Amino acid sequence: MAERPAFDGQAGRLNLENAPAHAGAFAFNAANRGSPNMTFLQGRSLAGALAAVLLAACAAAPRQRPMLPVATMTDFSYPASTARIRTTDPAIFMGNLDARIDAHQKRLATQESAPHRAALAGALNHRFRIVGRIQDGEAALMHLERALAIEPDHADALLAHASTLSAFHQFDDAERALARARTLNADAGALTRIERDLKVARGEYAALSDDFARSREPVGDFYELAHRADLRVLQGDLDGATHWYRAAQNLYADVDPMPLAWLHTQQGIALLRHGQFAQAKPFFQAAHERLPQYALATEHLAECEFELGHYASARMLYRAVIDQTANPEFIAALADVEAADGHRELARSLRAEAQSGYEQLLERHPAAYAQHAAEFLLDMGQSARALTLARENLVLRKDIGSWILLARSAAAANELAEACAANRQARGTGLKPPELAQLDELEKRCGTSANRLQH
């Protein structure tokens, strides 16, 4: 079984773990990690259309219940079932989303329109964050660029563009778009949220000191609670994170299934990162039941089934999400299932398929996939190539997950000095995510090496 990769703090990963839905996530990046885009407006004005595509930063918050005292939280089932908190039927929800995409595409086929192009980008990006097909994300980025070509100084379009660029780990371009939006008096709240997600993704933790300081404080906002939960996980406080995720669920009072499926998936990921697979599984099951098309929930449910020894169900789930996304990370995970179940030839074939998939994605989006490909290659024993990609990734972002990856890759490639330096950088953040334990053995080696040099 491959070692669990270091957490991608973007919210999500491009495969939508962070997705602030983060995630990012595409927490695209999210994972890694922000909130899902919840509504898509179809107004006549460009401003109205672009307001719909601000992704994680501008997602319309669900209607809020008042903040509940801690003592009353046990009154609610957690994770809440679809009977306990009713949301739109997933087939109807996805059918409506597909219909909006089709309608905008038909309009654009006969007449150029910045509002419809921007609205189409929003709908495509929303589907990308749910279904996980990268072609939707690529198309969304293209349509936003065309909308901006028509109105280059539209602040809302720039914010949406920044958020989408960030999902593809094009952080410098995203920051330039934000800087331009700031000069145009863009919505201050949206600007702040996108900037915050960028800081998390790039590991600019000193700039987030106020967020960390407030991460123990209650707040009556669904997405802010989820953000504070994420920060508690980074600080090694699983109980505190769970408290805020649960409180966020108890605030939810909307019919959109995506945000609640995303929240339960984030709780599951927090547990999974601590190796608590049996405890994580119900949260992925709840998200999968609420929105079966949500790729991130499906693949993590498959991961739990595998870790719990349920190979048949893991295989079925992985096959479904691979058919849906063609994501090489999931193909590699299926290879682990087949290897564990004694199907070694099939496992080898799947790993070759996964490597080919990563090579294609690295050609199209090197920034977005350097970290994920490095993790895969490290598991495959290709440490030199993994180290090259880990170094490239570190140029883009210096979050703790990237330092952990560099330390592991350098150690595997017998570059002990570089590995020890990266280990010091990771520990120097003062954060304590569960993945930091992957470097404990390296820490001992670094200490032994330092002692030899001193003597």
Side-chain angles (χ1 to χ4, degrees):
M1 174 59 189
E3 186 171 12
R4 179 169 309 287
F7 170 64
D8 180 349
Q10 166 68 358
R13 303 175 299 178
L14 191 65
N15 66 4
L16 313 188
E17 186 156 314
N18 232 291
H22 262 141
F26 18 147
F28 151 153
N29 203 241
N32 178 73
R33 292 167 45 147
S35 55
N37 185 19
M38 295 176 56
T39 58
F40 293 91
L41 308 179
Q42 299 188 54
R44 295 178 181 272
S45 69
L46 180 59
L50 291 172
V53 300
L54 293 187
L55 310 178
C58 297
R63 295 185 297 276
Q64 308 277 325
R65 295 189 182 100
M67 188 66 177
L68 296 171
V70 174
T72 69
M73 288 185 182
T74 55
D75 297 340
F76 297 89
S77 59
Y78 187 59
S81 67
T82 54
R84 174 66 185 83
I85 299 180
R86 296 187 181 277
T87 50
T88 301
D89 177 87
I92 295 173
F93 177 79
M94 294 304 299
N96 288 341
L97 179 55
D98 290 342
R100 286 200 296 277
I101 290 170
D102 184 61
H104 288 303
Q105 288 173 332
K106 287 179 178 177
R107 290 187 183 102
L108 288 168
T110 59
Q111 182 180 4
E112 181 59 81
S113 165
H116 285 303
R117 197 168 289 284
L120 174 58
L124 285 165
N125 224 321
H126 195 35
R127 190 170 69 182
F128 175 34
R129 293 173 186 267
I130 297 169
V131 177
R133 286 193 295 265
I134 193 170
Q135 293 85 354
D136 281 342
E138 292 170 330
L141 190 59
M142 178 269 291
H143 286 296
L144 272 173
E145 289 169 350
R146 290 191 180 181
L148 277 168
I150 297 171
E151 289 200 32
D153 289 340
H154 200 290
D156 286 347
L158 286 163
L159 289 176
H161 197 213
S163 185
T164 310
L165 288 166
S166 180
F168 281 91
H169 296 194
Q170 297 178 35
F171 300 124
D172 289 342
D173 290 341
E175 289 188 347
R176 281 190 284 271
L178 285 178
R180 179 61 180 158
R182 193 179 297 110
T183 67
L184 298 169
N185 298 317
D187 177 81
L191 189 63
T192 297
R193 287 188 292 273
I194 299 176
E195 287 177 329
R196 181 178 71 183
D197 288 344
L198 270 172
K199 289 180 173 64
V200 173
R202 304 197 82 164
E204 297 173 0
Y205 300 123
L208 294 164
S209 58
D210 288 344
D211 290 65
F212 280 108
R214 291 194 299 268
S215 65
R216 292 182 183 274
E217 300 173 4
V219 62
D221 180 86
F222 178 85
Y223 292 116
E224 183 62 27
L225 280 169
H227 171 62
R228 294 183 184 191
D230 293 341
L231 296 182
R232 296 315 306 163
V233 174
L234 277 174
Q235 294 172 93
D237 181 11
L238 178 59
D239 288 344
T242 297
H243 183 81
W244 292 144
Y245 286 133
R246 183 168 191 160
Q249 174 193 274
N250 294 344
L251 289 176
Y252 197 72
D254 203 283
V255 296
D256 187 337
M258 176 56 177
L260 201 54
W262 168 79
L263 182 79
H264 289 155
T265 299
Q266 297 311 305
Q267 172 69 89
I269 289 169
L271 291 162
L272 184 149
R273 290 172 63 192
H274 283 81
Q276 298 184 24
F277 303 105
Q279 295 86 345
K281 179 179 171 180
F283 291 93
F284 298 130
Q285 284 178 317
H288 184 67
E289 179 182 0
R290 191 171 295 278
L291 192 57
Q293 300 88 344
Y294 188 25
L296 187 60
T298 305
E299 67 105 348
H300 280 309
L301 179 56
E303 182 178 3
C304 288
E305 295 286 27
F306 170 56
E307 294 287 354
L308 295 170
H310 306 154
Y311 298 152
S313 55
R315 180 183 295 111
M316 179 184 66
L317 289 162
Y318 274 131
R319 284 290 182 192
V321 79
I322 289 167
D323 289 346
Q324 181 173 303
T325 68
N327 191 321
E329 182 171 348
F330 308 156
I331 297 171
L334 178 60
D336 289 340
V337 175
E338 299 298 356
D341 207 19
H343 306 143
R344 290 185 173 83
E345 285 300 321
L346 178 55
R348 278 192 285 271
S349 175
L350 287 167
R351 289 186 179 117
E353 182 182 350
Q355 182 153 357
S356 175
Y358 272 121
E359 295 295 349
Q360 294 175 40
L361 288 173
L362 284 170
E363 289 182 6
R364 288 156 61 188
H365 304 289
Y369 281 95
Q371 181 168 4
H372 305 299
E375 299 280 5
F376 169 76
L377 292 168
L378 193 58
D379 291 339
M380 293 284 287
Q382 300 179 34
S383 56
R385 179 90 188 282
L387 179 56
T388 297
L389 290 173
R391 289 167 175 164
E392 291 175 4
N393 177 68
L394 196 72
V395 173
L396 298 171
R397 56 192 306 192
K398 293 178 172 59
D399 62 302
I400 189 168
S402 296
W403 285 115
I404 291 171
L405 174 61
L406 180 63
R408 291 177 55 218
S409 301
N414 294 315
E415 297 287 350
L416 187 59
E418 185 175 7
C420 292
N423 173 59
R424 287 193 299 273
Q425 290 286 350
R427 296 181 187 278
T429 64
L431 300 176
K432 299 177 181 178
E435 294 79 13
L436 192 61
Q438 295 175 3
L439 303 186
D440 286 351
E441 187 59 35
L442 174 62
E443 175 78 355
K444 295 176 185 176
R445 290 176 61 194
C446 294
T448 301
S449 176
N451 288 334
R452 286 175 180 167
L453 290 173
Q454 290 174 1
H455 296 87

